[in-house]
Amino acid sequence: SGCLVAVGIAAAVIDVSVIVPVFNKAPYLRELLDSLQNQTSGSFDVWLVDDGSTDGSERMCDDIATADERFHVIHQPNSGWPGRPRNVGVDVSESRYLFYADADDWCEPTLLADLVTFADEHDSDVVLPAVLAEGHSYTTREPVFSSAVDLDPREAFLSLTPHKLFRRAYFEALGLRFTEDRVPLEDGQLVARAYVGGGRISRFGDRLGYHYMGREGTNISYAPRDPRAHGRSVADIMGSARRVPVHADEIIVDIYRRKLLRYLGPRYLPGMPPDRQAAYVQATSDVAAEFIPAHLESTLTPWPRLASRAARLGDPGVSVALAQARADELVPAERANGHWFIGPVPADDIVVVRPRARKD
C-alpha cells in the first residue's frame, strides 16, 4: 500500500513505584533518599510529592530528581494531610506495584526486590514487609521474621500503616484512594479495605525490610487529633473487619483496645484538656455501642475492660478519675450489696487488678 508503519519496542513496565509524601522533613529526608538510591531492585522509580515544604526539603527533592532519573518530584500547595500527596503519586505513576514510604523512615537495600519477587511468585495482592518500629511511644512490636503466603487476617490487622506493597491492578479494581479529609487513621482505613477486598494478603519476613521511625511531631498529619473524627475512623476500620470470616469479633475488639481505649488510660486521658477528655469518652462510648456488645467487652483484659465500662456511663469525670487513680497506683474499690465497684463501675470479675485497695 506504500504506507510505512513505525514499529517500536514498548518500554518495559517498571516493577514498583515508591510514593513518598514530603512536608518539612529536611533533617530526616536524606536518610530515606539514600536508602532508596541503594535499592538492589533494577526496576523501580520514586515519586516525591512535596506538600508545600518550606524547610529545604523541596530543594532536596529537586536535587535528587535532577541527579537520578529514577526519582521524580511534584510540588503542590500544602494540603496539610498525607492523603492527597499519596493519591497524586498513585495517579502519575505507572508501575505494576505500589509501595508507600514516609519521608522520615528508611528502607533496607533489598526491600523492593524482596517484596516484588515474593508477590510475583505467589500472586500476592498485598505484601507486608518485616518492619522495625523505632522510637514510637505507643508500640513495642518487634519485626515478624516469618513469611506467609496467606496471612492470618488477625495478624494483618495488627499492621494498619501504609508501608506495604500493593498490586496496582488490585488497588485500582477496589477503587482504593486515601481520604483527603484531615482525619486520623486515614491510612488504616485504606489498608483495612485492601485486606478485605478478596485478594491474597501475604507477608515477607525472611529479612528486615522497613524502618518505621516514629519521630513524634514530624508527621505530615501531625496535629491534635479530633477525638470524634478519630472514633469515626476506628468505626470505619471495624466496619471493614466485619467482613473477615470467623475472626471478625477478635479483630474488632483488638482494634477497639489499641486504637481507642488506650487514650482513656493513664498516659493520655489525665493530661488532656477537659473538652478533649469528654470528646474521647464520648467517641469511645459511641463505638462501643455500635461494635462492642457485652460478650466482646468481657474478652478484654481487666484495665481496658474497666475503661470501656466507665466510658459507657457517659460521664467523663468517672473515666478521668479511673485513669488518674491508675496513674497514682491507687484504685479505690468498694463493696456494696455483696458486689465490688470501682466508683460506679461494676468490678466483681476484675477487682483483683488493684495495685492497692483503699476505701475512698
Side-chain angles (χ1 to χ4, degrees), residues 78-291:
N78 179 252
S79 69
W81 221 250
R84 176 157 180 75
R86 286 176 179 148
N87 290 341
V88 167
V90 173
D91 291 339
V92 298
S93 59
E94 298 180 340
S95 54
R96 296 191 298 126
Y97 293 100
L98 300 163
F99 186 89
Y100 295 96
D102 287 338
D104 55 351
D105 296 339
W106 60 282
C107 310
E108 292 290 331
T110 60
L111 171 73
L112 299 179
D114 285 342
L115 297 183
V116 169
T117 299
F118 192 86
D120 282 345
E121 181 179 354
H122 300 289
D123 293 323
S124 302
D125 295 297
V126 181
V127 184
L128 286 65
V131 176
L132 179 62
E134 303 182 59
H136 286 269
S137 61
Y138 53 84
T139 180
T140 56
R141 194 176 310 129
E142 295 296 320
V144 181
F145 289 114
S146 67
S147 293
V149 174
D150 292 297
L151 184 61
D152 186 316
R154 292 170 293 183
E155 293 188 65
F157 269 89
L158 291 174
S159 175
L160 291 169
T161 63
H163 317 120
K164 295 159 180 63
L165 188 80
F166 297 88
R167 186 183 297 275
R168 183 187 292 271
Y170 179 70
F171 201 87
E172 298 291 2
L174 294 178
L176 294 178
R177 286 297 186 274
F178 293 90
T179 178
E180 297 185 8
D181 296 333
R182 298 189 180 197
V183 298
L185 303 176
E186 82 292 332
D187 48 358
Q189 293 181 50
L190 179 139
V191 171
R193 291 180 193 134
Y195 286 161
V196 300
R200 169 166 277 176
I201 313 303
S202 304
R203 178 178 61 221
F204 178 82
D206 289 7
R207 56 184 151 264
L208 188 62
Y210 192 83
H211 294 259
Y212 182 34
M213 298 305 294
R215 288 159 169 147
E216 299 294 344
T218 69
N219 290 341
I220 193 172
S221 58
Y222 183 76
R225 294 189 172 194
D226 176 349
R228 293 177 181 84
H230 185 116
R232 289 191 294 271
S233 293
V234 170
D236 186 280
I237 294 168
M238 290 177 170
S240 292
R242 275 182 168 166
R243 297 175 55 191
V244 177
V246 182
H247 301 303
D249 283 355
E250 190 175 344
I251 293 169
I252 285 170
V253 78
D254 184 63
I255 292 169
Y256 180 54
R257 177 185 61 81
R258 292 188 295 118
K259 300 299 185 182
L260 265 182
L261 288 180
R262 72 184 180 94
Y263 290 99
L264 303 190
R267 293 183 60 191
Y268 294 95
L269 196 64
M272 295 179 188
D275 58 335
R276 283 176 58 78
Q277 291 173 335
Y280 261 115
V281 171
Q282 185 62 53
T284 305
S285 178
D286 290 345
V287 168
E290 183 177 357
F291 289 94

Side-chain angles (χ1 to χ4, degrees), residues 49-63:
V49 186
D50 168 43
D51 200 53
S53 294
T54 57
D55 72 338
S57 298
E58 67 280 14
R59 293 189 296 276
M60 295 173 67
C61 292
D62 287 336
D63 290 345

Side-chain angles (χ1 to χ4, degrees), residues 318-345:
V318 173
S319 293
V320 173
L322 176 63
Q324 187 60 57
R326 287 180 59 192
D328 297 339
E329 294 193 344
L330 173 61
V331 182
E334 292 185 343
R335 195 172 180 91
N337 298 322
H339 296 282
W340 283 102
F341 291 85
I342 295 180
V345 185

